[in-house]
Amino acid sequence: MIFVEILSRHRDVAARFRFADQDVYIGRGYDNDVIVDDPYVGARHVRLFRDDAGRLVVEDMGSANGMFLDRDKSRHRRIIVDGERPIRIGHTHLRIRETSHGVGPERVARSGVRIAPIALAAALCLVIIGIEIVTRWSGETGEPRVSNYLTPLLWLAVIVPAWVAVWALLSRTFSGSAHVQRNLLIALAGILGFALYSELAQFSGFALNWAFVANYHYVALWIILAIVCFLHLREVSRSRLVLKGAVVLILFAFIVTVQTLQQFEAFYNSGRETVSRRLLPPALRLVPVRDEHAFFAEIEGLKAKLDRDRLHARTDEAAP
């Protein structure tokens, strides 16, 4: 017996036809053994038969759009069926197998709900909430307000489900499965990564006076966002990952370049560089604070240099 299967875009079996060991004609016309409702398929597109060696062969009947093997872009006049790689005619994928074709072992059904991903997601949420609470508490300079702690948590409760819902819908559309738990873990891991880097940037800027870590925090944000988007795209579809990674990388490089240019222009206009955007407890200050004598000595040095420059400028103007 010969089985001809029409596959969906997710490579699931949409229809299956069984035939005796005979020639089988496939096309859009009603005189075929398998009728394919695809406007890009010819009236009688291909013929399936067994050659002298006993192999199943699919032959193109002279169609305009040709016959291809899976994602191969080369047209084939004849294809020897292997039962694994589908054959593409028009926008339709066909898979042909015999009764003797072996199948894989059955999958073991999972009983109940998978606890590990849920527990991991809950742990990530708790860590993110804990970091946000500590951040708000350490930056308090006045009377504590409950709204200061609830507002970021409210945004987290709204944005994360919406973000995950969008990617789950795309995954369901293009791969056939929503992958809600995986998309949720990817989103939470990205938020946690950026929260940790933000705290590191604030601490290094305040305690160690490292300006570059805080001033270029947006680079870390876009790197994390690019990684998160690529992982989401991988859940949507595992095909063409190199192309998806290249597109994400190009967009990331463009955005970082534009934002870096804007930051340089802003620094040129204002002449000020931001090291720390939030006050932290003085005990966290690791770099010793300069005393007033060192500060005024530096001012005197700048004043002397300015006077020398003015003197040189006047001398140049007086020279003939």
Side-chain angles (χ1 to χ4, degrees):
M1 301 296 293
I2 303 173
F3 293 89
V4 179
E5 299 172 340
I6 299 179
L7 306 180
S8 68
R9 60 180 178 180
H10 304 311
R11 302 304 176 91
D12 298 324
V13 178
R16 181 181 287 116
F17 304 91
R18 183 176 63 179
F19 299 95
D21 203 350
Q22 62 186 36
D23 290 0
V24 178
Y25 292 91
I26 304 172
R28 192 160 43 89
Y30 287 94
D31 58 342
N32 291 283
D33 299 297
V34 178
I35 302 173
V36 179
D37 188 15
D38 184 346
Y40 297 94
V41 172
R44 176 161 285 191
H45 203 110
V46 296
R47 177 173 72 102
L48 171 65
F49 64 96
R50 196 178 293 276
D51 63 5
D52 296 336
R55 301 172 301 181
L56 287 177
V57 179
V58 181
E59 180 183 34
D60 188 0
M61 301 292 291
S63 63
N65 292 321
M67 177 177 62
F68 304 86
L69 183 60
D70 201 5
R71 294 185 174 89
D72 190 1
K73 296 183 179 180
S74 301
R75 295 178 61 154
H76 294 268
R77 182 75 177 84
R78 286 189 174 188
I79 296 176
I80 299 176
V81 176
D82 61 1
E84 295 296 337
R85 300 183 67 185
I87 297 169
R88 177 166 55 89
I89 56 174
H91 292 171
T92 303
H93 288 81
L94 304 173
R95 188 170 63 194
I96 301 168
R97 290 177 172 176
E98 298 185 72
T99 308
S100 59
H101 184 84
V103 296
E106 61 180 315
R107 297 180 180 178
V108 179
R110 299 181 180 273
S111 58
V113 182
R114 298 179 62 184
I115 303 299
I118 298 176
L120 180 58
L124 290 175
C125 288
L126 291 176
V127 173
I128 294 171
I129 293 173
I131 292 175
E132 189 63 33
I133 291 175
V134 172
T135 299
R136 296 285 171 171
W137 173 80
S138 63
E140 286 283 0
T141 57
E143 292 294 330
R145 295 182 179 180
V146 179
S147 60
N148 292 337
Y149 296 90
L150 295 181
T151 301
L153 302 183
L154 179 62
W155 279 107
L156 183 65
V158 172
I159 293 177
V160 172
W163 176 273
V164 173
V166 171
W167 287 108
L169 179 61
L170 292 175
S171 299
R172 183 69 180 86
T173 303
F174 293 99
S175 67
S177 181
H179 302 303
V180 176
Q181 293 180 347
R182 295 180 184 177
N183 285 307
L184 177 61
L185 291 176
I186 292 172
L188 292 176
I191 294 175
L192 177 60
F194 182 69
L196 292 175
Y197 181 84
S198 297
E199 290 307 307
L200 175 63
Q202 289 294 333
F203 177 79
S204 60
F206 181 83
L208 303 173
N209 203 29
W210 290 353
F212 69 94
V213 180
N215 291 332
Y216 294 98
H217 73 284
Y218 63 90
V219 178
L221 169 62
W222 288 114
I223 290 176
I224 294 173
L225 185 59
I227 295 174
V228 168
C229 289
F230 175 75
L231 294 177
H232 281 306
L233 288 172
R234 191 183 67 169
E235 295 300 325
V236 170
S237 175
R238 298 299 178 99
S239 62
R240 300 179 180 179
L241 293 179
V242 176
L243 176 61
K244 294 175 183 177
V247 172
V248 171
L249 182 61
I250 292 173
L251 290 176
F252 156 75
F254 175 74
I255 294 173
V256 169
T257 301
V258 172
Q259 198 161 352
T260 302
L261 180 61
Q262 291 176 345
Q263 178 158 315
F264 276 119
E265 291 177 349
F267 175 73
Y268 178 79
N269 294 330
S270 63
R272 293 182 298 176
E273 190 172 20
T274 302
V275 176
S276 180
R277 295 176 175 82
R278 189 177 76 245
L279 292 177
L280 295 176
L284 297 179
R285 181 73 179 180
L286 301 181
V287 176
V289 180
R290 291 187 302 172
D291 57 13
E292 57 179 335
H293 300 291
F295 176 76
F296 286 111
E298 184 177 350
I299 296 299
E300 289 296 330
L302 292 175
K303 182 177 179 298
K305 182 179 182 303
L306 181 60
D307 292 338
R308 287 194 302 270
D309 292 340
R310 287 176 178 174
L311 180 60
H312 288 311
R314 291 173 183 175
T315 303
D316 294 339
E317 291 177 357

